[in-house]
Each structure stands twice: as C-alpha cells, then as structure tokens.
Amino acid sequence: DTGVSQNPRHKITKRGQNVTFRCDPISEHNRLYWYRQTLGQGPEFLTYFQNEAQLEKSRLLSDRFSAERPKGSFSTLEIQRTEQGDSAMYLCASSLGGTANEKLFFGSGTQLSVL
Amino acid sequence: AQKVTQAQTEISVVEKEDVTLDCVYETRDTTYYLFWYKQPPSGELVFLIRRNSFDEQNEISGRYSWNFQKSTSSFNFTITASQVVDSAVYFCALSDGSSNTGKLIFGQGTTLQVKP
C-alpha cells in the first residue's frame, strides 16, 4: 500500500485546452474525494464518490468539470476549455468511509497552471 | 453556514520554542467533528487528529496537544519544543455531523516556520 497516487504532478496548459487528472486511491477505500486548493487558501471540496457512484458535487464544479470513477477504483477529473481561474492544486483523497469523522488520506496533488 | 477561521497566516519560531496555532469555527450543528491536518512542502495533507463535538477533553500526543472549547468555538493546537521538521502549513477543518461524509470545511491555514 503506497498511499494515494496522483498524476501528473504538474500540468501546464494553454487557455481553452482540455486537461485530465488521474487519482489512484488506497485500494480498499470505498470513498474518493476531489478538492481544489488555491495559493494561500485551504482545500475546497469539489465532489466525492462512494464506489463508482458520484454522490455529491459542489457548486464550485462548473459544467466544464467532470469526474468519473469507473468500477470504483481510480478516478479522473477532466476540465474542458480551461480558464486562467482554473489554475490551482487539485487534491484527491480517499477513505474507508461511512461516517462524518472519517480520516482522509490525501495524495500530493496535481498543480495546474493555465497560461 | 459553516466556517473555520485561522487568523494566524504565518508564525515563525526558533527551535525548542512552544507554539500555539489558533482555530475558531462556526456551525449551527449540534453534532460535528473537528480536524487538524498538516501539509508539508511535498503537498499531501497528513491527518493529525479528529474530535467530535461531545468530547471536550484535551488530548496530548507526544509533543502535540489540542485544546477544544465549545464555549469559545475554538480548537487550538500546541506544539511543545518545536523542531525544524514541524515546519509546514497546518489546517483546521470542520465536518458536518449530519452528512456522514469526509466533506470538510478547511480554514485558510497557518504556515509555521521553525528556525534552527
């Protein structure tokens, strides 16, 4: 068990391009979360999955964002037609969930820079 | 609405000094959970502690201790005899006790720099 893995670590793209990030959670964890963190701020919740079902999406997640978790294993987060405001660290976390006090295990994040 | 405030943006101490990181929260829930996470330069947040709203006992884990006071809506974190390896960004977070998820509301974070 090597923890939560995120790829790529860094992504630089031009405005208007599409980008996709991948998260591999800890294998036995049924819940997977995406958060976004901008410079000098705490992480903000974007969405979460329980197994393959996406159960909640934040209003921060515009129509340009889509997340999937096929087969309840890894997850992808796609941003279409990127904007400069999308520049941020995208963090993935997983947990063996079911309660409000579940401990989250975070990956090191994908740093997105939109030029 | 739920909110977490960490008023200290940056703190700098010399090794072996004690340091307290403040956290104030707002919630209308009667059941909720509070957390502290550490974010080292590598980026991944590391869980430190969780507390439920019904347990106001202070907790000590090695050089770390936490003081939870519902009367002042605070959940402060103290590092005793700080070390250079404690340098990181520390986040306080709040979860909704009714949602049964790991959806957290994070504070802005406090950057701690421990100088040798």
Side-chain angles (χ1 to χ4, degrees):
Chain A
D1 177 5
T2 56
V4 178
S5 176
Q6 291 189 248
N7 288 290
R9 287 298 309 273
H10 302 275
K11 179 71 178 178
I12 300 174
T13 191
K14 292 183 179 179
R15 185 164 52 92
Q17 297 293 306
N18 299 343
V19 294
T20 300
F21 312 139
R22 175 176 171 128
C23 171
D24 288 273
I26 293 172
S27 57
E28 64 268 26
H29 284 182
N30 60 339
R31 285 190 174 178
L32 186 147
Y33 297 80
W34 285 100
Y35 281 81
R36 181 172 70 186
Q37 184 179 17
T38 53
L39 195 62
Q41 299 298 315
E44 295 174 297
F45 170 80
L46 293 178
T47 188
Y48 93 95
F49 293 82
Q50 178 151 317
N51 300 311
E52 67 276 9
Q54 187 174 17
L55 296 186
E56 187 172 347
K57 292 193 288 187
S58 162
R59 55 186 171 81
L60 293 175
L61 214 64
S62 76
D63 291 344
R64 296 184 297 105
F65 288 70
S66 63
E68 294 182 343
R69 192 184 182 198
K71 301 180 183 179
S73 55
F74 70 92
S75 175
T76 57
L77 178 67
E78 181 183 16
I79 309 175
Q80 296 182 325
R81 305 180 302 281
T82 52
E83 301 173 356
Q84 289 185 328
D86 297 330
S87 295
M89 174 78 83
Y90 290 84
L91 294 165
C92 175
S94 70
S95 71
L96 199 56
T99 63
N101 65 344
E102 60 197 61
K103 176 180 172 181
L104 298 183
F105 293 80
F106 282 84
S108 297
T110 295
Q111 181 67 53
L112 173 66
S113 297
V114 181
L115 305 178
Chain B
Q2 296 181 308
K3 186 178 179 182
V4 175
T5 302
Q6 295 178 254
Q8 303 150 308
T9 304
E10 293 183 21
I11 300 176
S12 182
V13 298
V14 176
E15 207 170 18
K16 297 184 184 177
E17 285 186 16
D18 298 348
V19 58
T20 295
L21 309 182
D22 297 332
C23 172
V24 174
Y25 63 92
E26 296 174 29
T27 181
R28 294 179 182 175
D29 296 328
T30 53
T31 302
Y32 52 90
Y33 297 84
L34 294 162
F35 301 77
W36 276 94
Y37 279 84
K38 173 183 179 180
Q39 187 175 38
S42 54
E44 79 283 7
L45 281 84
V46 178
F47 168 88
L48 295 177
I49 190 173
R50 64 187 158 208
R51 238 346 174 218
N52 73 56
S53 52
F54 299 107
D55 183 1
E56 288 193 70
Q57 281 194 340
N58 292 334
E59 180 157 341
I60 298 174
S61 176
R63 297 183 297 107
Y64 295 171
S65 62
W66 291 269
N67 181 264
F68 175 30
Q69 292 193 339
K70 284 181 76 171
S71 60
T72 55
S73 296
S74 65
F75 186 44
N76 297 337
F77 173 31
T78 298
I79 301 175
T80 303
S82 59
Q83 299 177 0
V84 172
V85 294
D86 296 326
S87 297
V89 184
Y90 290 86
F91 291 97
C92 181
L94 171 69
S95 80
D96 177 358
S98 65
S99 71
N100 286 333
T101 72
K103 175 183 171 184
L104 300 177
I105 307 298
F106 284 87
Q108 305 92 316
T110 297
T111 300
L112 174 64
Q113 184 181 35
V114 182
K115 298 178 181 178

